[in-house]
Amino acid sequence: MSEEKKEQIYLSDLLMKVDQRLTEINEAIKGKSDEIAEMYKHMQDHKRDMDNLEKNAMREVIRNYTLQGDHSVENRKRLIRLKDTAFFGRIDFLEHSEQTEKNIYIGVHNFQDTESKKNLVCDWRAPISSLFYDFELGEAFYEIKAKTIEGTVLLKRQFRIRNGQMEYMLDTDITIHDEVLQKELNQASSSKMKNIVATIQKEQNAIIRNEEARHLIIQGVAGSGKTSIALHRIAFLLYRFKETITSEDILIISPNKVFASYISNVLPELGEESVAETSVEEIADELLEYQIKFQTFFEQVTELLEKNDEKLIERIQFKSSKELIRKIDEYYIWLQNDGFKITDIFVKGKLVPAWFIKETFEKYNRMPLLKRFNEVVREVVENIFRFYKIEIQYKDRTELHTTIRKMFPSYNPRVLYKGFYQWLGKPELLKLKKGSSYEWSDVYAFLYFKMKLEGIKPNRKVKHLVIDEMQDYSIVQYQVLSRLYACRKTILGDINQSVNPFSSSNLDTIEKIFPGATSMTMLKSYRSTYEITQFTKRISQHVNVEALERHGDEPLIIACKNKATELEEIKKLIVDFNSSKYNSLGIITKTQKQADTLYESLNTLFNINLLNAVSVAFGSGIVITTAHLAKGLEFDQVIVPYCTDKNYQSDPDRQMLYVACTRTMHKLYITHISKPSTFILE
């Protein structure tokens, strides 16, 4: 009998057992549901006859049955996934201490035969499954419960199973056979990020299974799969530490709602609950108790791209720097020592000397500055009672508070923040927008200062924080986030894809904020063809990227006579796309204004989606968006219009062009009129 025939039989037997288990679970769910309904009816019919003890006992039974039912429903979901893609790998492993080899089938979920208690499929996260990702044929080992199991890999086989049907089977003697990877990468894109359990590479597996690092920093080039790897890492940690961490304990800081929607499918595909997602704007809003208006990061980037404002750049650079932190720390010390103008006061005719107020204030120097005044008032009140037996009532206590606070420049953090720039001798660095809104660069600078004045309550609910697009957060933002979330972290991004180089952080900066962090680098790009990767390397000349040997068409640069002919060329490319095998086309502009204008010109002719700052989902088909919002997304084809020397000329422009061109998997088209940008000529 052929090997393929044997595998078909194994698959058929497995699916039969899965169907049997599904039938049992469906019957159990129905049985529990019927019993719960019967108990509710009994309680309703006998509510006057039953005492509280009986009612509470029945409610507890109902609650337990409901939990069992929920567990069964989750099991059913896993079994349905197993029916679709039963397994994707097989390893035959002979332990040195054993006589018989183990045949290990690897899939998204574990499945055990109820009769033999044998694992028919092993979860990809199980320790033994690491053999599939880390070793070729020959000597190998895996670790379980701090014990190393050594042996020999005798066979390594890969499968593609969809809808319960085996599409192909390959024997391989290298780590994740290149042919399988090529087949997967040549697939057309979808509107959601896919799980990659079948094609995880050895270096990716090391990141996913890293248990030791308190803070793991992943620097990955465009298309290296860093976000997907981070999500698979979450799934692994939830599996490995299921007793101490759940999906409710994890938080992802993502760049925008579109990206959050795009990645939302990965964890459920891996059998885990989705985790909460937020943004730095939402975190700021919460910390500011929704009392202060401010510009968003997207609005700041838009302003930078549309106006070449040197003063704006100066403000952003200073408020994103280590220098700002140093100066705020100095200003804070000045406020304590020189800002607090202490004088003698009288309370109920009794002298409270300045030296007593000063000593008391300094005694509490470990407390945030604005929290100390309450302690000073409390001690004054206690001492007046101790020495003069006079009780200070509520009204007098309030007056005492007011008197002491008046010795300080202000009790309002916003006023003190404005005072910082006056103390600095640079009041022009604080420029409020319409409606007294802060510029985005002020938000975390103010929060850092406010944190020193009032303290910050750490978020104890989050046990693991994932920070995506790490390069787009400044050193000041990291200072706030590190104090707010004292938990373990997975921090990932690409320093070559900053959409605002004036406030971005590099790897060295981030490592210093999280001492003892483990840094891992991903240099291989899996998204784009070899030709596109080589082309994008020339745009961002400092990027160190290894192009995968998956070949395709060279990027096509289309010179147009005028705006009208450029629009006609774009229309032709859309028509070609609509008749192709591909699912997604991204038309990526530099600014939102350009995206809006192009959308107006095309949306009556084609079915097109426009992404902007308020978009919450990413769909397949044709999408017009900006490079900023396209970050992290991928398309089968990409068109980058308006690639002229005027539109793409500055450092931020170069970054935007690099981001736009690295979004494509298979085809890249660039259009321009007049002189093309020097970035694509280089």
Side-chain angles (χ1 to χ4, degrees):
M1 191 187 296
S2 71
E3 286 297 303
E4 191 164 342
K5 185 69 178 169
K6 288 177 187 174
E7 296 293 12
Q8 291 281 8
I9 291 169
Y10 187 87
L11 176 62
S12 298
D13 289 348
L14 172 69
L15 293 177
M16 192 168 66
K17 287 182 168 69
V18 170
D19 278 333
Q20 190 178 334
R21 188 80 57 81
L22 272 169
T23 302
E24 291 166 6
I25 282 181
N26 284 331
E27 286 172 0
I29 291 170
K30 187 179 184 308
K32 286 282 184 288
S33 179
D34 290 346
E35 285 184 59
I36 289 169
E38 189 61 38
M39 280 188 273
Y40 271 126
K41 186 176 184 301
H42 179 83
M43 283 178 72
Q44 195 66 31
D45 293 345
H46 300 86
K47 59 185 174 185
R48 290 181 181 173
D49 307 330
M50 295 174 74
D51 60 25
N52 284 338
L53 203 62
E54 287 176 295
K55 285 178 184 175
N56 287 337
M58 192 160 274
R59 285 192 189 105
E60 186 60 25
V61 172
I62 289 171
R63 194 179 76 84
N64 288 334
Y65 274 24
T66 304
L67 288 172
Q68 289 170 28
D70 290 344
H71 182 66
S72 296
V73 168
E74 282 305 310
N75 276 342
R76 183 169 64 185
K77 284 181 189 172
R78 289 195 171 113
L79 290 168
I80 290 167
R81 284 191 203 100
L82 203 64
K83 272 196 73 172
D84 180 33
T85 53
F87 47 81
F88 54 79
R90 172 181 162 183
I91 287 278
D92 287 3
F93 184 64
L94 178 62
E95 288 182 26
H96 287 166
S97 58
E98 300 284 335
Q99 298 296 314
T100 311
E101 76 234 36
K102 292 177 181 174
N103 308 133
I104 305 143
Y105 286 84
I106 300 159
V108 174
H109 302 302
N110 190 72
F111 184 77
Q112 191 179 67
D113 185 2
T114 45
E115 291 173 12
S116 66
K117 302 299 178 189
K118 182 188 173 188
N119 278 340
L120 301 180
V121 180
C122 283
D123 192 297
W124 66 278
R125 298 165 290 187
I128 200 167
S129 300
S130 64
L131 293 167
F132 178 73
Y133 298 113
D134 290 343
F135 293 99
E136 304 167 13
L137 299 186
E139 294 301 295
F141 66 88
Y142 68 96
E143 292 181 358
I144 182 165
K145 295 178 181 173
K147 186 181 175 186
T148 301
I149 310 294
E150 296 180 336
T152 308
V153 174
L154 302 172
L155 179 134
K156 187 171 181 180
R157 186 168 283 167
Q158 293 173 267
F159 308 89
R160 181 180 170 90
I161 297 169
R162 293 291 180 271
N163 301 317
Q165 299 295 314
M166 190 183 295
E167 294 181 4
Y168 61 75
M169 174 192 105
L170 288 168
D171 282 2
T172 174
D173 60 355
I174 60 167
T175 309
I176 309 303
H177 198 286
D178 185 56
E179 191 176 339
V180 172
L181 185 58
Q182 294 281 5
K183 282 175 184 286
E184 292 300 320
L185 294 174
N186 278 316
Q187 297 285 318
S189 68
S190 73
S191 61
K192 298 282 186 187
M193 185 181 277
K194 295 177 282 192
N195 81 66
I196 57 165
V197 286
T199 56
I200 291 168
Q201 305 294 288
K202 186 176 181 178
E203 68 274 13
Q204 295 173 329
N205 194 44
I207 294 170
I208 290 168
R209 291 175 189 261
N210 185 310
E211 298 175 23
E212 290 77 33
R214 177 164 178 77
H215 304 309
L216 184 66
I217 303 171
I218 307 165
Q219 159 56 35
V221 296
S224 58
K226 53 192 171 291
T227 302
S228 185
I229 293 304
L231 293 169
H232 285 68
R233 173 170 161 73
I234 289 173
F236 172 76
L237 294 173
L238 288 170
Y239 173 88
R240 176 70 181 80
F241 301 105
K242 56 173 78 79
E243 278 78 33
T244 56
I245 190 168
T246 71
S247 55
E248 291 176 0
D249 303 323
I250 296 173
L251 179 66
I252 299 176
I253 299 178
S254 63
N256 53 62
K257 293 293 179 193
V258 172
F259 185 67
S261 162
Y262 178 58
I263 66 173
S264 63
N265 211 43
V266 177
L267 285 170
E269 267 191 16
L270 295 171
E272 300 294 346
E273 294 291 322
S274 291
V275 300
E277 167 277 326
T278 189
S279 67
V280 279
E281 284 94 346
E282 287 173 331
I283 291 169
D285 245 339
E286 203 171 313
L287 290 174
L288 296 169
E289 296 174 331
Y290 305 93
Q291 297 299 307
I292 296 174
K293 294 177 187 173
F294 54 81
Q295 177 191 46
T296 65
F297 181 52
F298 180 82
E299 288 165 345
Q300 183 201 68
V301 173
T302 301
E303 190 176 355
L304 272 172
L305 293 171
E306 290 177 355
K307 302 173 192 172
N308 190 15
D309 186 340
E310 287 185 13
K311 295 289 184 188
L312 172 64
I313 292 169
E314 184 189 349
R315 292 195 297 275
I316 292 170
Q317 284 179 320
F318 176 67
K319 291 168 190 175
S320 308
S321 69
K322 196 185 274 186
E323 175 72 359
L324 172 104
I325 291 169
R326 192 168 64 80
K327 287 297 182 186
I328 283 180
D329 290 350
E330 285 177 17
Y331 176 57
Y332 184 76
I333 292 166
W334 179 86
L335 282 173
Q336 292 178 92
N337 297 337
D338 303 313
F340 198 8
K341 308 292 185 187
I342 304 170
T343 59
D344 293 343
I345 59 172
F346 288 87
V347 180
K348 289 285 189 180
K350 302 301 180 184
L351 172 70
V352 180
W355 64 263
F356 177 79
I357 296 172
K358 188 172 190 299
E359 275 189 11
T360 308
F361 183 73
E362 288 172 353
K363 187 166 86 173
Y364 293 98
N365 64 354
R366 290 186 177 275
M367 291 183 73
L369 200 151
L370 295 184
K371 295 280 177 76
R372 295 187 217 169
F373 295 111
N374 288 340
E375 300 304 320
V376 173
V377 169
R378 185 179 56 76
E379 292 220 10
V380 168
V381 168
E382 283 177 3
N383 275 279
I384 287 173
F385 181 75
R386 184 181 297 129
F387 292 111
Y388 304 113
K389 303 300 179 201
I390 296 173
E391 278 198 36
I392 307 299
Q393 298 304 316
Y394 178 78
K395 184 186 172 191
D396 296 316
R397 190 184 286 243
T398 305
E399 282 181 13
L400 176 58
H401 261 288
T402 306
T403 303
I404 291 175
R405 284 180 183 179
K406 279 181 178 174
M407 298 176 192
F408 200 66
S410 175
Y411 203 67
N412 184 332
R414 285 197 76 169
V415 174
L416 292 170
Y417 181 66
K418 184 180 180 182
F420 164 65
Y421 293 99
Q422 290 161 345
W423 170 85
L424 203 61
K426 294 184 176 180
E428 72 280 1
L429 284 178
L430 182 64
K431 186 177 180 184
L432 295 179
K433 303 190 84 63
K434 191 178 178 183
S436 295
S437 293
Y438 276 147
E439 290 185 315
W440 175 245
S441 56
D442 278 302
V443 177
Y444 275 80
F446 174 67
L447 279 170
Y448 177 78
F449 181 52
K450 190 172 184 284
M451 184 174 69
K452 292 185 77 71
L453 293 173
E454 300 178 340
I456 191 169
K457 190 179 177 183
N459 186 320
R460 302 287 182 203
K461 290 180 184 175
V462 177
K463 293 182 183 175
H464 197 104
L465 181 71
V466 179
I467 303 176
D468 204 352
E469 302 297 349
M470 66 182 186
Q471 70 283 353
D472 284 335
Y473 307 121
S474 70
I475 187 171
V476 182
Q477 289 171 310
Y478 278 118
Q479 288 290 347
V480 175
L481 293 174
S482 66
R483 285 163 173 78
L484 182 60
Y485 301 102
C487 57
R488 290 175 175 265
K489 297 174 186 71
T490 300
I491 304 167
L492 59 139
D494 179 13
I495 55 173
N496 302 296
Q497 292 187 66
S498 169
V499 292
N500 179 1
F502 307 118
S503 65
S504 60
S505 293
N506 57 34
L507 196 57
D508 186 50
T509 302
I510 299 167
E511 284 173 336
K512 283 175 181 169
I513 294 164
F514 302 102
T518 301
S519 295
M520 303 182 89
T521 304
M522 299 169 69
L523 295 177
K524 191 172 282 187
S525 177
Y526 300 95
R527 179 184 295 137
S528 305
T529 60
Y530 179 87
E531 289 73 17
I532 292 166
T533 303
Q534 293 300 107
F535 178 81
T536 56
K537 273 171 77 172
R538 295 194 292 273
I539 295 171
S540 182
Q541 295 172 333
H542 304 297
V543 66
N544 182 16
V545 57
E546 295 172 22
L548 196 73
E549 290 283 337
R550 180 172 71 86
H551 290 281
D553 296 339
E554 288 284 349
L556 187 60
I557 300 171
I558 304 168
C560 308
K561 289 181 182 178
N562 51 43
K563 287 182 180 178
T565 53
E566 185 172 21
L567 187 62
E568 288 306 311
E569 287 293 341
I570 293 168
K571 288 176 185 175
K572 283 181 196 172
L573 292 171
I574 292 172
V575 170
D576 290 345
F577 163 76
N578 280 335
S579 60
S580 75
K581 63 180 180 180
Y582 296 116
N583 296 331
S584 63
L585 168 66
I587 305 175
I588 305 176
T589 62
K590 187 178 91 170
T591 69
Q592 192 62 49
K593 278 184 183 174
Q594 291 169 352
D596 294 342
T597 304
L598 188 56
Y599 176 74
E600 288 300 318
S601 304
L602 297 171
N603 78 314
T604 54
L605 303 170
F606 305 101
N607 184 15
I608 293 181
N609 296 307
L610 174 70
L611 294 188
N612 55 32
V614 295
S615 299
V616 293
F618 168 66
S620 53
I622 305 162
V623 173
I624 295 180
T625 186
T626 63
H628 183 182
L629 286 177
K631 270 212 307 183
L633 306 179
E634 63 183 21
F635 303 87
D636 291 320
Q637 301 182 9
V638 163
I639 301 170
V640 182
Y642 318 134
C643 196
T644 64
D645 61 341
K646 286 183 180 176
N647 196 30
Y648 288 100
Q649 55 175 313
S650 66
D651 279 344
D653 296 343
R654 184 194 285 269
Q655 300 277 59
M656 287 294 186
L657 185 59
Y658 178 74
V659 170
C661 293
T662 53
R663 297 308 93 204
T664 186
M665 296 166 65
H666 307 294
K667 291 179 182 289
L668 174 62
Y669 305 100
I670 295 172
T671 67
H672 68 89
I673 59 172
S674 62
K675 286 176 70 176
S677 168
T678 55
F679 301 145
I680 60 169
L681 294 178
E682 288 168 357

